[in-house]
Amino acid sequence: RDVLRGIAISPDGKTLAVASETGVLFFDARTYEQIGEPLRVAAGVNSLAYSPDGRTVAVGGDEIVRLIDARTRAQLAKTAVVGVPARMAFTKDGSQLVVLLTRESTGLGGADAQITIRDAATLRSIGRSIEPEGFVGAFVGTWYAYPQFALTPDDRFLMTASEDGELARWDLRSGRKTQTWRIEAGLAPALSVSPNGLTAAVGIKHGVQLVDLRTGTVRTAATDSAGSPSWVLFSPDGKMVVATNRD
């Protein structure tokens, strides 16, 4: 048995990549049959991301980020980082890889976290790191929830939600904060941006807040779930939000 830490699906919807303590496993997304042997990574894997063209998989392990050829599984690039690569995402044009690095604390505290922008071919760091205040993880029982970020569809901005109730937009080129909105405070809130880039969905205790990024108007959808959502996601047409919870 293995502990599963992350999941990514190829852009064509045919392959499922799963992060584990020993490496990456690949499955047929229709039959769930394993494809080939696992890609072994000594330190284990925390996060995965497919490039938009499906040719490359970014693999984040213990203070290491790798780029892997999705077909041959050959290593294309590798770089050391400071911290755990907890979440990763390619920009839609495939030119950059956004990496959330976190330093987990011991006990029931949080973690210092920062976001770095990397060249998607060489993994070379681009520009300044983004370091939001109050951008920390949290223990939910024995499970550690990492903070989250979301990219806007135009590849220009990155969104973060902090525990002190600040939703912020950051310029990817300059690494500077360009706008903020007030939301309900909470630890490691789930976050997503609509396909048209006009609405942000933020997980809060017992619900989801929808923030109009043009007007700042906030609507709250209450649920009967315990705690706050661990993930929120917009449907492709932007008309629906799906939220998952530890319950």
Side-chain angles (χ1 to χ4, degrees):
R1 298 182 63 182
D2 207 346
V3 176
L4 304 184
R5 295 177 170 178
I7 196 169
I9 191 166
S10 60
D12 62 9
K14 295 181 178 180
T15 306
L16 204 60
V18 178
S20 74
E21 286 188 320
T22 57
V24 184
L25 297 89
F26 295 88
F27 296 89
D28 185 298
R30 183 178 60 86
T31 66
Y32 300 127
E33 293 183 1
Q34 186 169 324
I35 302 172
E37 294 298 314
L39 175 67
R40 299 295 182 184
V41 179
V45 176
N46 293 89
S47 56
L48 296 167
Y50 269 96
S51 62
D53 61 10
R55 296 179 180 177
T56 306
V57 182
V59 178
D62 185 17
E63 299 192 341
I64 299 280
V65 175
R66 295 175 171 86
L67 296 178
I68 303 297
D69 185 297
R71 185 179 61 85
T72 66
R73 303 186 190 176
Q75 182 170 286
L76 304 173
K78 172 183 174 181
T79 189
V81 292
V82 179
V84 177
R87 304 196 191 283
M88 298 188 295
F90 285 89
T91 53
K92 285 183 173 54
D93 65 5
S95 66
Q96 297 177 329
L97 178 68
V98 181
V99 183
L100 166 65
L101 300 172
T102 181
R103 293 181 289 276
E104 291 185 34
S105 67
T106 57
L108 297 178
D112 295 329
Q114 65 175 356
I115 298 166
T116 66
I117 316 301
R118 305 269 165 173
D119 182 280
T122 65
L123 293 179
R124 178 180 57 85
S125 181
I126 300 173
R128 60 188 292 177
S129 297
I130 295 173
E131 301 182 12
E133 293 183 7
F135 191 59
V136 296
F139 279 95
V140 182
T142 58
W143 175 67
Y144 189 81
Y146 294 111
Q148 298 185 27
F149 67 84
L151 296 173
T152 58
D154 59 9
D155 279 349
R156 294 178 57 197
F157 301 103
L158 177 147
M159 307 290 297
T160 61
S162 301
E163 67 171 353
D164 58 2
E166 180 183 86
L167 176 67
R169 181 164 61 196
W170 303 79
D171 186 287
L172 276 183
R173 287 188 176 182
S174 68
R176 299 186 182 279
K177 188 189 301 184
T178 63
Q179 194 169 354
T180 62
W181 300 262
R182 297 311 303 175
I183 54 174
E184 183 175 311
L187 293 174
L191 177 63
S192 183
V193 175
S194 62
N196 63 9
L198 300 180
T199 306
V202 185
I204 60 172
K205 190 173 183 180
H206 306 307
V208 175
Q209 284 192 323
L210 299 172
V211 183
D212 188 313
L213 300 179
R214 296 165 298 179
T215 66
T217 302
V218 178
R219 294 173 291 148
T220 300
T223 69
D224 59 1
S225 61
S228 58
S230 50
W231 288 98
V232 291
L233 184 67
F234 280 90
S235 60
D237 62 7
K239 296 180 179 179
M240 186 179 299
V241 174
V242 179
T244 67
N245 195 283
R246 290 284 291 172
D247 63 8

